[in-house]
């Protein structure tokens, strides 16, 4: 099975490099606390990893997981996306592409502005809770959907997580609010609330693209794996000279992955001429 | 006049901060050469500047300039975009949104891959030269369109620059190739070639959004100006303690600009709860 | 000047064929009342006219007119489109393509459903009046924007008409509500209301793509004019044998215009093989 | 299982109304041949059927079927769509929305022009055959993909049919060209050609949305079924007064289905005022 798990064990092979932004944040706080025991390369932060895996991979596979679980029609649905990082951007873009009306919630003002100017509606999550048909969490954080939100949702609302662990939706609160649950389709749990409303939780709140679909397509995982493989080889050569800290993927590895990928797709690109290269590097040419 | 000049004089007010990526590159090479005399803050690199001004501003105003100059129909046109940086992305996205068939040329493999996965066609610029209807340079470099390209273009091809100076299109070569020129509409010069083809250069190769339209809308310049104003105030307070080097805009200024902008649009967003904040910062909570 | 006037005088040349849907509706009611004196061909209903002129032409030129009049940034704006006919579809699609958040109002349930499934928000116009930044009428009818709507609009709201005559916005009511007006940019009248709000009317409510831009691009008018010319020639040959009624454009004229247009763009298409043709026409081949 | 079969048996209940355009074409040729024995209502031609079922239903479910069969990444793929009718439009729009580069082939000049102006690339199918990654037939006809095309395809090309019967791809030719076949994933047959290339046929050339996914979502089939049910009821009342011929769905049934659907989605729309209604119907009001 191809997988898009952004916190997978394979990370250990390349020096414990967590793939999620959440993972990298945690490693850095571990390093700052002086508790990191060996050098780490943040593979997730490679351009050929996070620009592609998190955006195009998660974008497509999240919709795929929800479609396979529910066979819902996306056109005309109000889809609420929690978090406008690379994953949220990808999902929002693909949901728009399927004809949905997209609503984004954010805590970061700059990401919120980007979402607005990309054509999405932005509002506080409690406003969005009242009108959404499908809710997708991609925050990398805790309880993006809380009891307060679920109290406001419409009958029939669908909730899925495609961020990281099964902590982005407060499942404990949902269990507490409802009178039992039943699986209405594989991976779709119906939670009847006392007031007649029914809420639907997909894949028990786990990553819906892994649990209900096949994770990222191989055409996007290949770049992530190439980064991991080339970085592991790099660490094998250099680790003994590196202090315990979180490092970026070397620029030339990242570029090499990009070139290999383009070649595999049969796409040629330009090169800078010497004159163009000199111009970009200089401060005394031109106007 | 609102302006979107990305190399404008105002830069001097805030310590010579050039607004183009090209400008920042040059300042850094000046700093590396030990020739920078005072501290610089690279306002262009502020998130609330380059994410918005370069992408949404240049995206819209470049199409606007070309439309006003030519009244061309975008739907169905083959539009060739040189460079897929923030400006190129913006223009490519808006050209797609107007019904054009977009072709991107790049020298950077990662940007080329992004362009492909965003749905644009990517090919070497000499291939693109043969089929394009409208060519737009956004490279920040020299001679993105050279004589070689112009030799291959179709009769009626239109060329515009929205990158930086009037060096992205090799005008000297065009003048040399053609038998005189005539202005067929304001800002549209027709260059007849010996073989019967006619090429059209807009705004003498200068920034087409400034020369043929009104530059960026005020709704995007306001963020750039807010960054410049707040950064100038910051430099006035701190410059004497800063070594001559190129600095980023302080994070809290960038965020403040984002918050002010959202407020002006009447948009509220969420805040992290204390529990969510602790979760993101920790490495010992959760799974 | 190229023009996109959908009720232009040229109509008379080809037998009084009005170009607007509104015009055709009226001619049909004239015919039903027995008051039509001569045969009419409804050029507006030709596929190569209304599919292209009304959708791609009006779509682009309406945004163009509003941009030239106001230099507004479309990204992130709430754009309210009155009417989801061919013109409304075109404008909604292009507004989405420029990064706007689109809201459609309709009286026809099927068009309203299409708008929803195309990803636009659909709501009653009085709800839309409260939240819109830019309002565009494309109904072909009367007072799409009435006093009731204007009472609800936000300070700074912009109104433009791109449907037909200057009757789609109730200007009389606006004049009555406001304390005088002033032209703040060419084609932009500011109406201060007693309560501090200011509303902006573009081009005195006339077709904004004609009044503030250049109308449809030539690349879309060419098909409309080709239909008019070929139909005029057809009428000159056949009119004396036609009863006074409203007729469609002959199928072969419509197809011919399409073929000519493709050829002018250098685009080749397929032809049916004899076997494919027989298959489509038969009921006794295949499953 | 929800189904999107456009030639299903249920048709018989409502007087043999075939749901495909192909079906309706055949019934009309049967009627013209004097061989139709009873009245037929062409449910497929109802606005609330073909605008939605064929466009939004087929659009989504075709991509869904191909994704489930192959787990292919759509972003960056060259997707060739045969036929730009309602189904083709839907698939092309959704493929664009998933980041694909779309190429349309057509035999009808007007549809070809629409495809161009909607931003798709249009070319003869033999040109497209050389460059496509994924080929999807939606023509309702015979051998849209023939041996000639398969001779030109790249190694790894994927073929799927979402038009009507398994005659749109010439499977016999494919079998003849290849040295045996093997099923590499459920519903994915690999055909090795003598020259080292491998072609992939999905679902044995049957409707891929039915064979590899779940057909149309219920949210689109509900409108089709509502048309069938209300039309069956109408025929039960009126059939004995109708001559054997192919009839459209009565306008008021079509509108009623649209209204019911909007109500089920919680969406309100406007109504015409009496003054607006009179204006639209008159020829003596207004300018």
């Amino acid at each position: 099975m191809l997988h898009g798990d952004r916190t997978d064990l394979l990370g250990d092979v390349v020096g414990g490099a967590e793939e999620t932004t959440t993972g990298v944040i945690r490693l850095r706080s571990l390093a700052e606390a002086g508790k990191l025991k060996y050098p780490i390369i943040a593979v997730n932060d490679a351009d050929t990893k996070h620009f592609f895996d998190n955006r195009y991979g998660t974008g497509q596979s999240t919709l795929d997981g929800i479609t396979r679980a529910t066979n819902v029609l996306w056109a005309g649905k109000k889809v609420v996306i929690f978090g406008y990082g690379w994953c949220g951007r990808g999902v929002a873009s693909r949901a728009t592409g399927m004809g949905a009306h997209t609503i984004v919630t954010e805590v970061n003002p700059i990401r919120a502005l980007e979402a607005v100017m990309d054509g999405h509606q932005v509002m506080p999550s409690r406003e969005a809770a009242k009108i959404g048909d499908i809710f997708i969490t991609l925050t990398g954080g805790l309880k993006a959907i809380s009891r307060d939100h679920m109290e406001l949702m419409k009958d029939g609302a669908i909730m899925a997580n495609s961020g990281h662990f099964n902590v982005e939706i407060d499942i404990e609160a949902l269990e507490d609010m409802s009178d039992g649950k039943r699986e209405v389709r594989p991976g779709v749990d119906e939670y009847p609330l006392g007031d007649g409303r029914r809420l639907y939780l997909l894949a028990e709140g786990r990553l819906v693209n892994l649990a209900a679909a096949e994770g990222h397509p191989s055409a996007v995982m290949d770049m992530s794996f190439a980064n991991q493989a080339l970085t592991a080889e790099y660490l094998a050569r250099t680790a003994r000279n590196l202090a315990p800290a979180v490092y970026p993927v070397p620029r030339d590895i990242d570029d090499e992955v990009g070139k290999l990928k383009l070649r595999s797709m049969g796409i040629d690109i330009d090169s800078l001429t010497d004159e163009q290269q000199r111009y970009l590097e200089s401060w005394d040419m031109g106007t």
Side-chain angles (χ1 to χ4, degrees), chain A:
Chain A
M1 195 184 73
L2 299 170
H3 65 131
D5 189 348
R6 295 177 289 296
T7 55
D8 63 339
L9 294 177
L10 191 70
D12 292 328
V13 178
V14 289
E18 289 275 338
E19 286 188 272
T20 51
T21 302
T22 315
V24 173
I25 290 172
R26 288 176 167 216
L27 284 164
R28 292 207 173 108
S29 86
L30 202 59
E32 278 161 28
K35 300 199 174 180
L36 194 65
K37 299 286 173 49
Y38 43 80
I40 297 280
I41 295 191
V43 172
N44 186 68
D45 293 349
D47 289 350
T48 48
K49 167 70 173 66
H50 74 103
F51 276 149
F52 298 89
D53 180 313
N54 290 353
R55 186 163 40 170
Y56 308 108
T58 303
Q60 175 175 317
S61 63
T62 299
L63 268 70
D64 185 18
I66 297 172
T67 304
R68 294 197 204 195
T70 63
N71 207 34
V72 76
L73 178 74
W74 290 92
K77 286 288 182 309
K78 288 185 193 299
V79 177
V80 181
I81 291 136
F82 290 75
Y84 203 64
W86 291 114
C87 292
R89 264 163 248 227
V91 171
S93 166
R94 294 314 178 222
T96 300
M98 296 300 280
H101 168 63
T102 43
I103 297 167
V104 169
T105 76
E106 251 298 343
V107 295
N108 178 309
I110 293 168
R111 288 180 172 183
L113 266 178
E114 279 191 276
V116 173
M117 297 216 176
D118 288 343
H120 308 297
Q121 206 175 354
V122 173
M123 62 178 70
S125 54
R126 291 192 194 186
E127 293 306 308
K130 296 175 198 166
I131 59 178
D133 296 305
I134 300 173
F135 297 85
I136 309 172
T137 55
L138 300 126
T139 66
L142 190 71
K143 296 183 189 172
I145 299 181
S146 68
R147 182 176 192 125
D148 287 349
H149 298 105
M150 295 185 277
E151 296 284 12
L152 297 165
M153 289 181 185
K154 296 188 298 188
D155 179 37
I158 294 168
M159 292 177 276
N161 169 39
S162 202
H164 71 155
F165 310 121
N166 60 342
V167 299
E168 300 213 19
I169 299 170
D170 189 347
I171 300 169
E172 204 172 317
L174 181 59
E175 300 270 359
D176 184 59
M177 287 166 70
S178 69
D179 314 325
K181 66 179 172 190
R182 66 186 183 105
E183 189 175 51
V184 292
R185 279 173 62 117
V188 184
D189 285 328
E190 180 183 80
Y191 286 83
L193 306 186
D195 56 10
R197 288 179 301 134
R198 290 153 299 176
L199 301 184
Y200 295 88
L201 177 66
L202 304 193
E204 300 176 338
R206 297 180 192 284
L207 290 172
V208 73
N209 61 344
L210 286 175
E214 301 182 52
H216 296 334
S218 58
V220 73
M221 289 309 293
D222 57 3
M223 284 191 281
S224 300
F225 292 150
N227 269 295
Q228 291 180 331
L230 292 173
T231 301
E233 191 266 352
Y234 170 82
L235 271 178
R237 277 190 288 115
T238 63
R240 70 191 58 242
N241 304 317
L242 295 173
V246 180
Y247 297 93
V249 170
R251 185 72 256 161
D252 59 344
I253 289 183
D254 211 346
D255 282 345
E256 178 66 13
V257 172
K259 284 176 194 167
L260 290 169
K261 179 70 179 176
L262 282 173
R263 196 185 306 159
S264 79
M265 298 173 82
I267 295 172
D268 288 327
I269 62 172
D270 288 349
S271 303
L272 289 175
T273 63
D274 290 344
E275 186 187 19
Q276 288 175 323
Q277 185 69 49
R278 276 199 313 277
Y279 180 82
L280 283 178
E281 288 167 356
S282 71
W283 53 268
D284 52 3
M285 280 178 70
T287 311

